Amino acid sequence: GVLVIIIHRYLTFIYEYVNGWRVDKAKQLLANTELTLEEITMQSGFNSLSSFRRYFVSATGLTPSAYRRRNK
């Protein structure tokens, strides 16, 4: 019912907000450090390199490596 829809939308909002924060942290680390992608994955709060790459590309349109090259 309606409650299920509200809860789903709220949880989706939280998920998007948290992952947005994680991508912002990863962008900062990519531009300002020489950390490996694995280190950046963990420091920005993602639990796997594949989920980090997938979400980063969907959020920025760039791979993490391409973002680093453009922002060094």
Side-chain angles (χ1 to χ4, degrees):
V2 174
L3 184 58
V4 171
I5 292 170
I6 291 169
I7 291 169
H8 181 265
R9 287 186 181 168
Y10 177 74
L11 293 176
T12 300
F13 169 78
I14 295 297
Y15 174 80
E16 295 295 326
Y17 175 82
V18 169
N19 280 337
W21 179 89
R22 289 173 175 162
V23 167
D24 288 344
K25 177 68 174 175
K27 288 167 140 182
Q28 175 190 1
L29 294 170
L30 287 164
N32 299 309
T33 74
E34 296 299 325
L35 295 172
T36 67
L37 290 182
E38 290 82 4
E39 291 169 318
I40 290 171
T41 296
M42 294 302 129
Q43 288 195 25
S44 58
F46 286 92
N47 58 8
S48 74
L49 184 56
S50 62
S51 65
F52 166 60
R53 283 187 173 137
R54 184 173 48 253
Y55 201 87
F56 193 91
V57 169
S58 73
T60 67
L62 296 169
T63 65
S65 297
Y67 182 89
R68 176 174 264 169
R69 284 191 299 273
R70 284 192 181 186
N71 291 281
K72 272 293 185 186

